[in-house]
Amino acid sequence: MQRHLISAADLTRDDAVLILDTAEEMARVADRPIKKLPTLRGRTVVNLFFEDSTRTRISFEAAEKRLSADVINFTAKGSSVSKGESLKDTAQTLEAMGVDAVVIRHGASGAPYRLATSGWIDAAVINAGDGTHQHPTQALLDAFTMRRRLIGRDAGLGEDLSGKRITLVGDVLHSRVARSNVDLLHTLGAHVTLVAPPTLVPVGVESWPCEVSYDLDAVLPKSDAVMMLRVQRERMNAAFFPTEREYSRRYGLDGDRMARMPEHAIVMHPGPMVRGMEITAEVADSPRCTVVEQVANGVSIRMAVLYLLLGGNEPAVSHARANASEEK
Amino acid sequence: MSKILIRGAKVLGGEPQDVLIEGSQIASVGVGLSADGAEVVEAAGKVLLPGLVDLHTHLREPGREDSETVLTGTRAAASGGYTAVFAMANTFPVADTAGVVEQVYRLGQEHGYCDVQPIGAVTVGLEGKKLAELGAMHESAAGVTVFSDDGKCVDDAVIMRRALEYVKAFGGVVAQHAQEPRLTEGAQMNEGVVSAELGLGGWPAVAEESIIARDVLLAEHVGSRVHICHLSTAGSVEIVRWAKSRGIDVTAEVTPHHLLLTDELVRSYNPVYKVNPPLRTERDVLALRAALADGTIDIVATDHAPHPHEDKDCEWAAAAMGMVGLETALSVVQETMVETGLLDWAGVAERMSFKPAEIGRAKGHGRPVSAGEPANLTLVDTAYRGSVDPAGFASRSRNTPYEGRELPGRVTHTWLRGKATLVDGKLT
Ligand SMILES: [Zn+2]
């Protein structure tokens, strides 16, 4: 494993499978009466959020606390791009405090990469979403959810997603979730198709390891998982599509469309869902929709990532692993 | 009268000759000139060029003296072999009045490192709405002939048309920063494969090309002269080539960095590579080199854009756009154009001195290296190899994309009207 987790593209197949397997062990901690491991005791992790995301922050915080890390939450809302210096200044303040890892969320693509490579700090850097670039732990939790649902919880151990057909639908252009998922799913052997109106597909997508289609109905019957991406209503005003209704008609997932998916296929969404335009309530509330599991799995994945980046080789870890396997 | 004998220099890359400077002029050029009473500069193996002329420099004074001043900028120019620079108008206050351009012009004369020819803004405050007092700037002591809202595009077609027409009265030229503003909202880098992957806002080639296409057609329609700043795409080259073939009076410039660097470098997210127009692809770079070689692109201009460290030592999106270039321009041209066999040194002189002086009507610059001409000269050690160390820059800012990179060639001497501004690589 590398020292930082900036992009899903940085993970090898073996790294990714190791994270997914480790997350399975971490998931078992959640079933215990005391949901805590001593792994990161004495380590300090900072959640550095330049952009609002309560969901992601809480997920990381839960993961950090379950691993017994000391947690500092630093929210620097609004200071991201308007005052460029703040990232460096803040980073150096944290460095002076002896921080071991920084979980960073930033509105500017590349900010975590800058943080990890510019020599400002020594701490491990985990990207919790940067601009329209990457959100690797989201991709990992999505892959984890797919592996559990499409292969099975125990059967999946050591496995990747070879041969699975995954479809991502919606605003690919502005989506760090899409970029991360394309990279990771490809690494894990899955076949990815992006579906969106041409205005929401980036120029340059030809170089991505996936297919692009403008026709959702044609792709659905061949999908093992369909992941709906969030579409912001403001995009309509910027002429990315004519009306909400038209978008919904062509790219929204409703009950009829879901019925065209294979029986085993699942519906995913990174949340928060905008019901109506991109996904109907009927689909969102169906048992095939994994949104709630994705949230729970997020904690396990983030525990696994923190554990592997920060504590991976220490005894507390193998202890945790031993416990985990005993409880099987 | 002081005399300097430059001995055995390859004038414009040709056979070794001696060049005798007396006072502010070249007294004679020939073989075996007498050194009697003259200070001798041994120049065997070196190339002697007419003093370089940069049609596109940002000196930042007035207003951003923390980035650069007329003094530091002209010292950087002299280090790079320049004897004249055209200073862009996007200062604070904007150079849109006779007062501001005269101030900049005078500072250049006082410091004496190179002539500063101010460029006047096309529109008041660079706002693109109302023509600035172009005539008054032309008639001022600064004698402005080049007008540009550089940094911004004159995107209103009517304003552009009027500016092109108006400057005809005094032989002026409008230098356009071609950037369709709506197509580049939120743009951070070249739009293409790399921007798609990095999730950075795209600056599409068509935003440059569509403005160039429009402006050459406007220039044709009103019979005016238009200059295109920092051409950066293969498509722009095609449009300019077409316009020239049609007889339209258009000239174009390319920066050294667009001749060498590509958008692949942005993968580092290091804002030192953030520039406007953005670094493009390998295909564009090769097209630009070919166009500079065949004359479709007339000149090399630096777009020297100094920024203080803190404006670059941050995340990409927050960083300022621009690179310094005066002190590395000739080396980059040597590497990309001379050592590739695309241009000889006479061709370099044409594109970095004669032609930019002609486009900007810079008096006394871009003149032949021959008797009776002003002694504006640059001596280059073309055999030199070394890596770029920004700590040694004369520019107040250090935002070079070439730090640590090996580049060939080094300017050892620069003379401005017979007065040395650079001797053995050191400023006087
Ligand atoms: Zn410009």
Side-chain angles (χ1 to χ4, degrees), chain B residues 56 58 150-151 177 229-230 276-277 303:
Chain B
H56 193 149
H58 295 273
D150 183 58
H177 170 120
C229 295
H230 40 53
N276 188 12
D303 195 6

Side-chain angles (χ1 to χ4, degrees), chain A:
Chain A
M1 284 279 292
Q2 313 202 349
R3 216 163 69 75
H4 309 291
L5 180 58
I6 307 296
S7 166
D10 298 339
L11 296 169
T12 63
R13 185 246 175 224
D14 289 351
D15 284 342
V17 170
L18 174 65
I19 294 170
L20 300 185
D21 289 353
T22 308
E24 283 292 358
E25 295 168 19
M26 295 302 176
R28 294 192 185 96
V29 176
D31 301 334
R32 294 186 189 173
I34 296 171
K35 301 175 176 31
K36 223 167 161 121
L37 292 174
T39 313
L40 297 185
R41 187 175 288 154
R43 304 295 197 93
T44 303
V45 181
V46 172
N47 299 317
L48 181 57
F49 277 58
F50 288 87
E51 194 183 74
D52 247 349
S53 175
T54 312
R55 294 159 53 97
T56 304
R57 188 181 53 73
I58 288 175
S59 178
F60 269 105
E61 195 174 340
E64 290 148 9
K65 288 185 167 161
R66 282 187 193 169
L67 293 172
S68 305
D70 294 325
V71 178
I72 300 172
N73 285 311
F74 187 99
T75 311
K77 208 174 71 179
S79 59
S80 56
V81 174
S82 53
K83 188 178 174 299
E85 264 188 277
S86 60
L87 175 63
K88 183 186 181 187
D89 290 347
T90 309
Q92 289 182 334
T93 305
L94 298 175
E95 177 74 354
M97 292 162 65
V99 165
D100 298 290
V102 178
V103 173
I104 175 176
R105 169 74 154 238
H106 202 289
S109 299
Y113 184 88
R114 274 295 268 167
L115 191 62
T117 58
S118 55
W120 297 334
I121 60 168
D122 274 333
V125 175
I126 298 170
N127 183 0
D130 62 327
T132 52
H133 178 222
Q134 282 275 332
H135 192 357
T137 59
Q138 176 72 43
L140 285 160
L141 77 88
D142 290 335
F144 184 77
T145 306
M146 289 175 211
R147 196 175 76 167
R148 277 190 154 189
R149 281 288 201 114
L150 301 176
I151 303 177
R153 204 173 157 142
D154 294 321
L157 284 174
E159 296 292 316
D160 56 22
L161 294 169
S162 289
K164 301 296 174 207
R165 306 179 75 89
I166 318 292
T167 302
L168 275 64
V169 186
D171 185 357
V172 176
L173 181 63
H174 302 95
S175 175
R176 52 194 169 211
V177 176
R179 281 174 179 75
S180 318
N181 264 290
V182 168
D183 288 335
L184 183 69
L185 292 171
H186 171 71
T187 301
L188 290 172
H191 181 92
V192 182
T193 305
L194 302 173
V195 180
T199 47
L200 291 174
V201 176
V203 167
V205 77
E206 319 80 66
S207 68
W208 293 10
C210 62
E211 281 180 40
V212 177
S213 168
Y214 308 132
D215 182 357
L216 181 57
D217 289 314
V219 179
L220 284 177
K222 297 177 284 184
S223 303
D224 297 305
V226 176
M227 186 185 302
M228 304 306 291
L229 302 168
R230 192 140 68 96
V231 178
Q232 293 178 339
R233 292 202 154 103
E234 305 90 85
R235 304 287 180 230
M236 204 178 75
N237 301 326
F240 286 102
F241 48 87
T243 64
E244 207 172 294
R245 226 157 7 100
E246 175 157 328
Y247 180 87
S248 196
R249 210 179 294 131
R250 295 175 64 87
Y251 300 100
L253 192 60
D254 59 11
D256 286 350
R257 283 214 163 99
M258 189 167 66
R260 276 178 230 163
M261 295 164 50
E263 231 162 87
H264 69 272
I266 55 173
V267 175
M268 307 180 71
H269 196 293
M273 287 185 285
V274 182
R275 291 171 189 235
M277 181 157 73
E278 62 209 30
I279 195 165
T280 62
E282 180 191 4
V283 177
D285 297 332
S286 98
R288 300 170 76 168
C289 182
T290 62
V291 172
V292 178
E293 286 163 61
Q294 284 171 268
V295 173
N297 292 342
V299 177
S300 306
I301 280 291
R302 283 158 184 142
M303 287 174 75
V305 166
L306 284 158
Y307 161 85
L308 290 167
L309 286 184
L310 286 180
N313 300 318
E314 296 193 356
V317 169
S318 46
H319 171 70
R321 286 196 149 177
N323 277 355
S325 45
E326 275 163 29
E327 281 172 18
K328 252 191 188 172

